[in-house]
């Protein structure tokens, strides 16, 4: 296969991955890593490095828009980024010390969980109104608009949410994904933040988390420009297209297709990891 053909196929596949990721809210990393490994036979660690670069690029654009609109809670995001960044550094450190077989199995399990989250649909939009404990001391609260009316919220169970964020960061650094599903779970279900605030703040955090671990991958030589560049550009283009199609698309049908794709990739990653094919 020529370099031009390989790059073109890589770009086209990344566009598709970014499109699916944007339409489901889980990001293109959950698709691009297994596709690179299983379809293009790229080494798992190089695939993760390329995915991290694409996560940084796609998160930055969307995060800027959410911050400008006042949806992302910067104070909560910056606080929780302490946990996700430390976790990302740990995950990137473990990458060189854990076999690719074990990483493939873990990735497969995360893919199955992501398929479950996507299929289950929207999380409950619950939020806490009482400010207490660490939330009160650190001022982890804010307001958002509901039918043009401001609605107050405050973070709950901050220590537990902080711990889950550390785990999400570790998964991000180890697997090269944004782990947005885990971040939203922590903020929405555990910390009691409104769903809209959880998703936009998670998007704001994803790029910082990926950047922390990407430095270690770069230092270890796991980021190849010939792979990372077409992947980053493809996922970026796919994400932009996905955000525009999201308004008109039948999301329920798309999520069903996405779940089936992710389910198949997850099972294949687990099987390949257990049989030593990766």
């Amino acid at each position: 296969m020529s370099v031009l053909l390989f790059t073109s196929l890589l770009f086209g596949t990344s566009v598709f991955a970014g499109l699916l990721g944007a339409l489901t809210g889980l990001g293109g990393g959950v698709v691009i890593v297994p596709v690179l490994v299983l379809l293009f036979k790229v080494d798992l660690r190089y695939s993760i490095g390329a995915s991290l670069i694409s996560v940084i690029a796609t998160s930055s654009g969307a995060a800027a828009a959410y911050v400008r609109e006042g949806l992302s809670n910067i104070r909560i995001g910056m606080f929780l980024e302490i946990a996700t960044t430390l976790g990302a550094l740990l995950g990137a450190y473990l990458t060189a010390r854990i076999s690719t077989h074990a990483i493939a199995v873990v990735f497969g399990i995360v893919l199955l969980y992501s398929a479950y989250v996507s299929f289950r649909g929207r999380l409950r939009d619950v939020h806490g109104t009482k400010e207490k404990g660490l939330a009160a001391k650190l001022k982890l609260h804010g307001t958002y608009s509901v039918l043009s009316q401001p609605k107050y919220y405050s973070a709950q169970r901050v220590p537990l949410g902080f711990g889950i964020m550390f785990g999400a960061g570790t998964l991000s650094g180890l697997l090269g994904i944004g782990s947005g599903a885990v971040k939203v779970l922590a903020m929405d279900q555990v910390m009691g933040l409104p769903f809209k605030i959880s998703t936009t703040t998670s998007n704001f955090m994803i790029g910082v988390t990926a950047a922390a671990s990407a430095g270690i991958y770069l230092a270890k030589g796991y980021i190849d420009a010939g792979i990372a560049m077409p992947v980053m550009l493809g996922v970026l283009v796919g994400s932009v297209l996905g955000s525009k199609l999201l308004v008109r698309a039948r999301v329920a049908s798309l999520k069903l297709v996405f779940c089936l794709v992710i389910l198949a990739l997850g099972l294949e990653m687990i099987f390949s990891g257990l049989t030593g094919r990766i």
Side-chain angles (χ1 to χ4, degrees):
M1 184 185 297
S2 67
V3 174
L4 181 59
L5 178 59
F6 175 78
T7 303
S8 301
L9 290 174
L10 206 55
F11 176 79
T13 306
S14 301
V15 171
F16 178 71
L19 181 66
L20 279 180
L23 289 170
T24 55
L26 295 177
V30 294
V31 178
I32 199 62
V33 173
V35 166
L36 285 175
V37 172
L38 300 174
L39 184 61
F40 291 95
K41 305 303 179 183
V42 176
D43 181 84
L44 179 59
R45 295 187 177 99
Y46 285 90
S47 301
I48 292 172
S51 176
L52 284 171
I53 299 300
S54 71
V55 167
I56 296 170
T58 53
S59 170
S60 300
Y66 292 140
V67 170
R68 187 169 54 250
E69 293 170 11
L71 292 174
S72 299
N73 190 308
I74 305 300
R75 193 177 188 89
I76 293 177
M78 293 295 288
F79 171 70
L80 295 177
E81 274 174 3
I82 299 172
T84 59
T85 300
L86 291 174
L89 293 174
L90 174 63
Y93 172 80
L94 291 175
T95 300
R97 287 160 176 76
I98 298 179
S99 70
T100 54
H101 309 316
I103 295 175
V105 172
V106 173
F107 200 109
I109 293 172
V110 172
L111 286 178
L112 297 183
Y113 171 73
S114 298
Y116 164 72
V117 169
S118 182
F119 182 76
R120 184 178 61 174
R122 189 180 181 280
L123 299 174
R124 293 183 297 113
D125 194 4
V126 297
H127 56 276
T129 55
K130 286 188 176 181
E131 197 176 349
K132 57 184 180 180
L134 277 176
K137 293 179 181 177
L138 300 175
K139 300 180 180 179
L140 304 179
H141 56 78
T143 58
Y144 71 113
S145 179
V146 178
L147 300 175
S148 301
Q149 296 294 323
K151 201 163 187 178
Y152 177 84
Y153 63 88
S154 177
Q156 312 291 309
R157 292 176 287 185
V158 174
L160 179 57
F162 192 86
I164 295 176
M165 284 296 178
F166 179 82
T170 303
L171 284 176
S172 178
L174 182 65
L175 305 178
I177 59 177
S179 61
V182 182
K183 289 184 174 74
V184 172
L185 173 70
M187 286 187 279
D188 182 84
Q189 301 291 292
V190 177
M191 299 180 70
L193 299 176
F195 182 77
K196 186 181 292 187
I197 303 301
S198 299
T199 52
T200 54
T201 303
S202 170
N203 198 289
F204 166 75
M205 296 166 57
I206 283 173
V208 178
T209 305
S213 49
I216 295 180
Y217 279 84
L218 181 63
K220 292 183 179 296
Y222 292 143
I223 295 180
D224 187 311
I227 298 173
M229 184 58 70
V231 167
M232 180 193 71
L233 293 175
V235 172
L236 190 57
V237 170
S239 299
V240 172
L241 292 175
S243 63
K244 292 182 178 179
L245 288 175
L246 189 59
V247 181
R248 301 186 299 271
R250 293 184 59 187
V251 180
S253 302
L254 290 168
K255 283 193 174 184
L256 179 60
V257 174
F258 178 81
C259 288
L260 294 175
V261 172
I262 290 298
L263 187 64
L265 290 173
L267 293 174
E268 179 62 24
M269 286 289 282
I270 293 173
F271 177 76
S272 298
L274 291 175
T275 56
R277 285 165 43 192
I278 292 180

